[in-house]
Amino acid sequence: HSYASTFDLNFEVKFNEKWSAFVGLEADDETTDPTAIYNGAYIQYQPTDFFAVKLGDLTFSEGAFVAYYDYDDPADNAAGMKEHDIRGLEIDLAGFILGVGFGRGDNDWADEEGAKVYDVHAAYEFDYAGQHLRPYVDYKSFQTTQHNELHAGVEAGLSLGGFGFRAVYGFHADYLGDDGDVVEGQDWTSTAHAFLVEPTFEVGMFDIKTTAFYAFIDRGDAAEDVSDLDNGEIPEYFFVYAEPAFKLAEFIKFGIPVEYHTHTLDDDNETAATFDVGGRIYITPVENLEITAFGMVDVAVQDNEDDDALRFGLETVFSF
């Protein structure tokens, strides 16, 4: 029995045609009363439609899970790169994005006292006639010889009528430049190649969302909970999800999610896998109000009845 609460309050101020500013507050935790905290602020100078400069507290993420409901918060999970918060500068020029700054918040953990994380992010955004392409690279330094982090990859998408297809390739690496000094005789360099595909289809009163994800992970000599790959960014090495849904009325939709999860980053561990099936009811009685009720049965793939579970709950989201 658990609660989860999320609150976002964002202010956007336009001073004139070229200057604007943003300030955000956030509260997000598995409780009924999460603490609201500062979530970033920046000023923006945009003299033309194709050029802008931002200065302040910025956030970058790539290759988020969009179709699957349980991993769709890029603050926690992503196939490409979960959120990196920096304090610095961003330049947007005709689709090219460059961000440079020092890490802040959870992105500012360093190995040595007094060391300051810095982060460089680059991406190119291409959109044309329903086609989407976004290559990206992010380099994060912990200001130590052995501990540097790299994310790179590409996100692509296609939208044609009621059919949509989205794909992400993400490369993750940490402890780059490890020369064995972290632990004598051990190489802690860890890498992962992540692949995500999300086909969707909608026609009339019927739609279906699907997701397939697989990650090839090599931790080197690093143990679990030591490699940065164990920070939740990659939630599990393999899962598949499909949810056909039927609109029963203008504001009520019923979905039947069917899922397979490995629940582990270790592809040699087959004991944690489950097959999940259930129902989800989506109610949107008025604009900007969404109510989702769900019930799921999780069945352990192995003969381990202790892993069987029944889950149900309710989520309400409103915006103003």
Side-chain angles (χ1 to χ4, degrees), residues 14 148 183 192 244 260:
K14 190 173 181 64
N148 300 306
V183 174
Y260 173 83

Side-chain angles (χ1 to χ4, degrees), residues 88-308:
L89 174 74
E90 177 184 334
I91 298 174
D92 301 344
L93 178 61
F96 175 73
I97 301 167
L98 175 65
V100 181
F102 291 102
R104 63 182 180 91
D106 293 337
N107 197 37
D108 192 29
W109 179 86
D111 290 318
E112 298 179 1
E113 185 177 354
K116 192 71 177 175
V117 168
Y118 69 82
D119 207 315
V120 180
H121 190 89
Y124 180 74
E125 185 82 25
F126 174 80
D127 290 284
Y128 179 75
Q131 301 176 70
H132 172 76
L133 186 69
R134 183 183 173 96
Y136 66 90
V137 61
D138 186 283
Y139 178 76
K140 175 180 173 182
S141 172
F142 292 78
Q143 300 271 359
T144 58
T145 305
Q146 290 82 23
H147 202 169
N148 300 306
E149 184 180 311
L150 176 68
H151 301 266
V154 62
E155 176 181 335
L158 172 66
S159 179
L160 186 62
F163 173 75
F165 181 83
R166 181 173 174 270
V168 176
Y169 164 70
F171 172 75
H172 308 256
D174 67 355
Y175 284 97
L176 293 174
D178 178 11
D179 58 8
D181 291 338
V182 178
V183 174
E184 186 65 30
Q186 293 187 0
D187 179 7
W188 278 18
T189 300
S190 302
T191 60
H193 299 270
F195 299 87
L196 170 69
V197 292
E198 295 184 321
T200 60
F201 180 71
E202 180 177 359
V203 57
M205 306 290 282
F206 171 80
D207 69 77
I208 183 170
K209 298 184 294 184
T210 61
T211 300
F213 175 77
Y214 198 99
F216 298 92
I217 300 172
D218 181 3
R219 284 196 182 89
D221 295 322
E224 287 189 37
D225 301 326
V226 172
S227 166
D228 284 343
L229 299 177
D230 295 280
N231 65 4
E233 183 166 50
I234 299 175
E236 52 186 326
Y237 82 88
F238 173 58
F239 79 92
V240 290
Y241 155 79
E243 183 178 346
F246 306 87
K247 186 174 288 188
L248 305 179
E250 188 62 30
F251 61 93
I252 299 178
K253 186 170 72 170
F254 178 69
I256 306 172
V258 180
E259 311 169 22
Y260 173 83
H261 294 275
T262 55
H263 300 294
T264 178
L265 297 181
D266 184 1
D267 59 5
D268 291 328
N269 180 7
E270 299 180 358
T271 61
T274 62
F275 178 78
D276 309 339
V277 64
R280 290 170 63 85
I281 299 176
Y282 304 87
I283 303 174
T284 54
V286 295
E287 187 178 4
N288 296 328
L289 174 61
E290 300 176 2
I291 301 171
T292 303
F294 73 91
M296 297 288 292
V297 176
D298 305 340
V299 180
V301 174
Q302 299 288 328
D303 294 331
N304 185 358
E305 295 182 357
D306 292 338
D307 290 336
D308 294 342

Side-chain angles (χ1 to χ4, degrees), residues 4-9 27-28 69 72-73 251 280-294 313-320:
S5 305
T6 300
F7 172 77
D8 284 306
L9 181 61
D28 187 6
Y69 58 90
D72 62 357
D73 187 349
F251 61 93
R280 290 170 63 85
I281 299 176
Y282 304 87
I283 303 174
T284 54
V286 295
E287 187 178 4
N288 296 328
L289 174 61
E290 300 176 2
I291 301 171
T292 303
F294 73 91
L314 181 72
E315 177 186 56
T316 302
V317 178
F318 65 91
S319 57
F320 58 90

